[in-house]
Amino acid sequence: MIPTVEQVREMLATKAASLTVEREQLLAVANFLKTEPQLQFDFCSCVTAVDYIKQDCIEVVYHLYSVALKHGPLALKVRAPRALEQCRVPSLTPVWRGCEFQEREAFDLFGVKFDGHPDLRRILMWDEFVDHPMRKDYVPPMDYEWEPTPHGETLARAKAQGGVVPASVLEAKK
Amino acid sequence: MSATGIIETQTLEVSLGPQHPSTHGVFRMDVVLDGERVVKLKPVMGYLHRNHEQLAEKMAWLGSMPYTDRLDYFCSMTNNWAYALAVEKLAGIKVPERAEYIRVIMAELTRLLNHSCAVGFLFSDCGAWFTPILYALRERERILDFFETVSGARMMCNYMRFGGVRVDLNDESLTMARDLVVRWPAFLDEFEKLLLANEVFLARTQRVGILPRELAINASISGPMARASGVEYDIRKVDKYGVYDRFDFRVPVGEKGDTFDRFMIRILEMRESVKILEQALRNIPAGPFIAPEVKLRNFRVPAGDGYGRIEAPKGELGFYLVSEGGAKPYRYHVRPPSFINLTVLEDMCLGHKVADAVIILGSVDIVLGEVDR
Amino acid sequence: MAVDPKLQSDLQKQGVFVMPVEFLYNWSRKSSIWPVQFGLACCAIEMIAAAAARHDIARFGAEVFRASPRQADLMIVSGTVTKKMAPQVVRLYNQMPEPKYVIAMGACAISGGPFKDGYNVLKGVDRYIPVDIYIPGCPPRPEALLHALMTLQEKISKQHLNEARWYKKETPAEFPVPQYGAHDLEPPANPKVWEPPKK
């Protein structure tokens, strides 16, 4: 549901202006916020994703400012399910070009796919990498150097994986 | 030669980087060339991705402060301030006046050293092999000496804390800072005269890499790069964070948006920074240097999320923090100016020669610690 | 093989300098070590500061930072080596001609440093290439880099012509370049270079 100008103005007067929309209305709301003459949110400052594993969703947050009218920020939030196949959100790169690289980063690190993005591929990790490392359930590969006193989490994981030295290195040494 | 007598040509794909003589770090540009002209350019990054954001989720709020030093490793003070500002906004901490003045002094000194080195490195990209950098580094060493006296480290200062700064400035340090600032106008005159009188530099930078104003706003470009394209937006004037509304300074805005404008904006901003520093060093009040009610041990932030940003020397540096009320952040995101300023690299370089592409990259003024985090 | 010092000083007074060929060879090599321009991260800035006017690295002969690895004999790995960058580092090392040396500058190059928890961080460049000098620090001061250079010079002056590492049969001509795998680099370390520590 597209908000009215008065509602947005009221939000902006508070300390943390935030607007949560459904995926289907995201493009319409974004275009409204950008083109409406009294709002003119022409500067999309920050795009990021947050993994709410307990609520089983990933939330993509867009922070918008206005260069023409010098107000902001307004946080535009949209949620998508965590499962990789259903984690899709419409891309706002056609509206604000500055979202291009940041949406690619959200795809790379969280696995959120942006429909309508001109060039959606990995940006920070190498192309052959398959995991999405910033998700809360990501397990990094076990390649710790042996520490003189491995303790806590390191020691527990090392024991679970059968030793502090990676198995592939021991194999190659034989 | 083909049957009709016309020479057939092919495009050439060149990978500029990740190791290259221009000192911008491990950044790669996949360039498709038609002769010497750039037809397509794709930036490739991630060669310094050190998963700073994931590390912050495992550490306490204050534990990420030394890591913010290593984001834009040239300007550690402003990185610290951006993070402290974001946390203070979320936690509702009020910073005492003296601490705000100290923060402004550190930030403007950082702006001076960043811009002078950026100009020096831009000249090195043009081919003036190391000499302008030597002049810039000579002044930078003085500022680093001051930082070392105050915070104990040359580059990775780890100086700001939530609610203020770590250590107070005593009279000796203030005298040192005043002596520093007094030298800068003369140095800037010398620097500018040496550089602007060079016709080769003027020919190589004017009308090269033009960024139109509308594209700059749409592509979220910030900092000196946006102001060179005519976008009159300086976060120090818009958000009025800290005590910047007490200082009298102008915001230089360019007209054409080419490489020369980006270079001149940095020189003019250095002069404005000197003005701010003179005012701050004259008017700094006495008082506490950190908010007394803040308990940094077992520091917790109330639940919620917030975005705090400052005008870092490279652009808008912002931190988006999500807190669940605990001792560690739930989500910690850095909005890096260099990363986003690279969005329009291809647009600026199309049609120019490959040597110009190197200079245009130099004028964007990136630092890889920030681009890749 | 040392020359009798009294004979040496008598001859010197006549203007005749006598020394082993090895001494001359090592002296000329250590006085003109040319590093390859290879800065990765924050330590690279201290390396540039070491090359600047205040801490002048040119005094030690290392003034010319060569852009091409084929013309350099020292690689100062300054900064974090990430897994995405590791194949490039090994490739550059392979392209340097013998005799070549590596200085691991900074905590990140030694062992991953403050970013040791990283999924993209290589826990030390000595997992793939042999390192001669380690400089701890984050970042180490330019004076520390100069000290490391002097230590390297001492190391070179002690090397013997008939025991050079690069003439031995077991030294590979080229170190294997790691490939990008689905979760990690393959192999995660070079077993001939990095010894898993004995428990």
Side-chain angles (χ1 to χ4, degrees):
Chain A
M1 189 195 51
I2 299 185
T4 61
V5 176
E6 288 74 31
Q7 282 174 325
V8 176
R9 278 265 184 76
E10 257 176 70
M11 271 189 249
L12 281 175
T14 63
K15 267 187 72 167
S18 132
L19 180 64
T20 309
V21 292
E22 300 292 321
R23 283 189 276 179
E24 297 78 26
Q25 286 138 5
L26 183 64
L27 261 178
V29 173
N31 275 311
F32 165 70
L33 288 171
K34 183 177 173 191
T35 50
E36 175 64 39
Q38 295 186 41
L39 297 176
Q40 280 191 57
F41 282 107
D42 47 6
F43 190 82
C44 175
S45 171
C46 172
V47 180
T48 187
V50 188
D51 184 10
Y52 290 107
I53 191 167
K54 291 203 195 103
Q55 287 108 341
D56 196 29
C57 70
I58 292 191
E59 184 174 83
V60 182
V61 184
Y62 294 82
H63 282 94
L64 306 170
Y65 282 86
S66 172
V67 168
L69 301 176
K70 305 233 185 332
H71 58 72
L74 174 67
L76 184 63
K77 298 183 182 173
V78 65
R79 294 196 163 194
R82 276 190 95 241
L84 271 177
E85 311 77 38
Q86 296 147 22
C87 197
R88 312 191 78 94
V89 163
S91 164
L92 292 187
T93 306
V95 182
W96 294 290
R97 175 100 185 266
C99 303
E100 186 184 340
F101 280 7
Q102 302 184 78
E103 284 180 351
R104 272 177 72 182
E105 183 194 331
F107 164 64
D108 186 2
L109 299 181
F110 285 90
V112 183
K113 294 189 200 36
F114 291 89
D115 298 320
H117 192 281
D119 183 19
L120 194 67
R121 56 196 164 97
R122 285 188 180 265
I123 191 168
L124 291 178
M125 300 302 293
W126 58 87
D127 291 322
E128 295 86 344
F129 199 71
V130 300
D131 300 317
H132 297 286
M134 280 292 287
R135 289 189 167 224
K136 297 278 180 187
D137 49 2
Y138 170 68
V139 177
M142 178 70 191
D143 64 348
Y144 262 92
E145 216 170 75
W146 177 73
E147 294 176 55
T149 52
H151 54 278
E153 216 181 284
T154 313
L155 188 58
R157 276 190 64 211
K159 284 192 174 146
Q161 295 196 17
V164 286
V165 177
S168 47
V169 177
L170 283 176
E171 275 296 317
K173 191 92 171 93
K174 281 190 194 137
Chain B
M1 301 271 279
S2 68
T4 54
I6 304 172
I7 301 178
E8 282 179 8
T9 57
Q10 267 184 325
T11 53
L12 176 65
E13 206 173 301
V14 177
S15 162
L16 287 175
Q19 183 256 353
H20 47 80
S22 79
T23 41
H24 295 299
V26 282
F27 176 66
R28 184 172 132 210
M29 294 193 276
D30 277 336
V31 189
V32 174
L33 296 173
D34 176 22
E36 283 265 335
R37 302 216 163 257
V38 173
V39 167
K40 205 165 135 180
L41 189 149
K42 289 271 170 261
V44 181
M45 15 189 141
Y47 290 101
L48 198 60
H49 179 55
R50 301 183 279 198
N51 74 336
H52 172 219
E53 299 184 357
Q54 200 199 46
L55 284 173
E57 288 174 14
K58 300 184 188 172
M59 290 189 293
W61 289 94
L62 195 55
S64 310
M65 191 61 92
Y67 285 87
T68 59
D69 281 333
R70 284 143 180 96
L71 273 176
D72 172 358
Y73 35 80
F74 258 99
C75 323
S76 76
M77 292 283 190
T78 44
N79 299 348
N80 286 349
W81 190 2
Y83 180 51
L85 192 100
V87 171
E88 283 154 13
K89 209 165 144 179
L90 201 51
I93 299 175
K94 178 116 182 26
V95 181
E97 250 192 271
R98 186 177 170 89
E100 292 281 19
Y101 271 83
I102 296 178
R103 283 180 171 184
V104 167
I105 293 172
M106 296 303 175
E108 294 308 314
L109 281 173
T110 311
R111 201 177 310 271
L112 283 178
L113 70 80
N114 175 272
H115 284 334
S116 62
C117 287
V119 166
F121 286 130
L122 176 63
F123 270 84
S124 147
D125 288 340
C126 287
W129 175 226
F130 207 54
T131 312
I133 302 182
L134 284 179
Y135 280 82
L137 286 177
R138 181 187 72 191
E139 298 303 319
R140 179 170 176 258
E141 291 288 333
R142 284 185 226 273
I143 299 184
L144 290 183
D145 277 346
F146 172 66
F147 282 168
E148 192 175 1
T149 317
V150 169
S151 75
R154 279 158 56 100
M155 273 167 61
M156 311 301 177
C157 302
N158 186 15
Y159 184 58
M160 312 276 173
R161 293 284 180 266
F162 308 132
V165 297
R166 172 162 50 108
V167 163
D168 200 0
L169 284 183
N170 55 13
D171 290 329
E172 251 182 71
S173 316
L174 279 174
T175 319
M176 197 172 169
R178 286 189 190 109
D179 291 338
L180 252 183
V181 174
V182 147
R183 295 179 54 101
W184 268 83
F187 165 66
L188 279 175
D189 289 335
E190 177 194 44
F191 207 37
E192 210 179 318
K193 203 161 53 157
L194 276 174
L195 304 178
L196 279 181
N198 191 329
E199 350 177 340
V200 173
F201 178 68
L202 292 177
R204 283 200 76 180
T205 53
Q206 285 180 333
R207 284 179 287 277
V208 166
I210 295 183
L211 178 64
R213 186 176 182 273
E214 291 311 314
L215 180 58
I217 300 179
N218 201 6
S220 312
I221 308 295
S222 54
M225 199 168 146
R227 288 194 279 282
S229 295
V231 180
E232 199 181 324
Y233 196 73
D234 186 327
I235 300 176
R236 294 175 288 178
K237 293 276 194 195
V238 169
D239 279 0
K240 299 192 185 61
Y241 62 94
V243 288
Y244 272 111
D245 46 358
R246 298 192 197 178
F247 298 111
D248 168 38
F249 66 100
R250 295 180 306 165
V251 173
V253 176
E255 288 174 345
K256 290 208 199 58
D258 56 6
T259 306
F260 182 71
D261 271 356
R262 289 191 275 276
F263 152 76
M264 262 328 276
I265 289 277
R266 295 196 165 94
I267 300 268
L268 292 171
E269 276 192 10
M270 280 201 270
R271 291 196 190 274
E272 299 300 322
S273 287
V274 171
K275 266 203 265 183
I276 299 178
L277 275 168
E278 283 165 2
Q279 293 167 50
L281 285 167
R282 217 176 21 232
N283 302 337
I284 180 169
F289 58 91
I290 190 166
E293 69 270 8
V294 170
K295 300 263 174 304
L296 284 177
R297 203 171 267 282
N298 217 357
F299 181 76
R300 279 162 202 268
V301 173
D305 64 329
Y307 180 68
R309 63 179 191 165
I310 64 158
E311 177 77 25
K314 300 212 158 55
E316 173 189 330
L317 176 63
F319 279 80
Y320 175 59
L321 301 167
V322 176
S323 162
E324 281 191 324
K328 301 183 188 175
Y330 185 78
R331 173 83 173 105
Y332 166 107
H333 175 71
V334 182
R335 187 261 187 215
S338 310
F339 183 52
I340 294 166
N341 287 356
L342 282 175
T343 312
V344 289
L345 189 63
E346 186 175 5
D347 298 77
M348 289 196 288
C349 289
L350 283 180
H352 290 297
K353 301 199 174 60
V354 67
D356 295 331
V358 177
I359 295 186
I360 294 171
L361 180 66
S363 74
V364 174
D365 190 18
I366 60 170
V367 73
L368 261 295
E370 208 171 48
V371 170
D372 290 338
R373 280 149 288 141
Chain C
M1 216 188 87
V3 184
D4 177 33
K6 191 171 174 311
L7 178 61
Q8 219 177 10
S9 66
D10 284 341
L11 283 170
Q12 243 181 339
K13 293 192 185 88
Q14 309 289 324
V16 177
F17 291 84
V18 178
M19 61 195 79
V21 169
E22 198 173 88
F23 176 81
L24 194 59
Y25 177 67
N26 284 343
W27 169 81
S28 61
R29 277 193 312 128
K30 80 177 186 191
S31 310
S32 72
I33 306 180
W34 286 358
V36 69
Q37 240 174 6
F38 187 60
L40 291 169
C42 343
C43 286
I45 309 299
E46 291 292 50
M47 191 169 72
I48 297 172
R54 190 182 186 188
H55 323 272
D56 190 11
I57 210 174
R59 304 178 270 175
F60 298 90
E63 169 179 22
V64 199
F65 276 74
R66 306 302 299 175
S68 160
R70 300 243 184 238
Q71 299 163 351
D73 26 31
L74 169 66
M75 186 158 91
I76 306 181
V77 182
S78 50
T80 320
V81 184
T82 54
K83 291 186 185 167
K84 194 168 179 181
M85 188 68 191
Q88 274 70 270
V89 174
V90 180
R91 222 173 260 142
L92 282 170
Y93 182 72
N94 286 342
Q95 286 178 354
M96 284 165 65
E98 295 280 8
K100 55 191 174 186
Y101 303 95
V102 175
I103 291 184
M105 178 179 178
C108 291
I110 298 177
S111 71
F115 302 98
K116 200 155 173 190
D117 250 337
Y119 48 80
N120 191 25
V121 172
L122 190 66
K123 320 284 190 287
V125 76
D126 57 358
R127 285 203 168 197
Y128 288 110
I129 55 180
V131 172
D132 293 296
I133 309 268
Y134 296 85
I135 316 179
C138 189
R141 290 187 63 106
E143 287 95 333
L145 178 59
L146 296 176
H147 181 219
L149 198 56
M150 295 198 304
T151 316
L152 181 65
Q153 288 180 335
E154 275 172 52
K155 185 172 179 177
I156 294 177
S157 63
K158 292 200 194 90
Q159 280 182 336
H160 298 296
L161 277 176
N162 49 357
E163 284 173 12
R165 181 187 71 208
W166 45 90
Y167 293 146
K168 296 203 177 103
K169 278 203 178 48
E170 57 264 17
T171 312
E174 278 208 352
F175 285 84
V177 175
Q179 304 296 318
Y180 294 134
H183 304 279
D184 196 357
L185 285 176
E186 267 139 30
N190 184 346
K192 296 197 177 63
V193 174
W194 184 69
E195 275 278 330
K198 302 172 187 35
K199 193 123 184 19

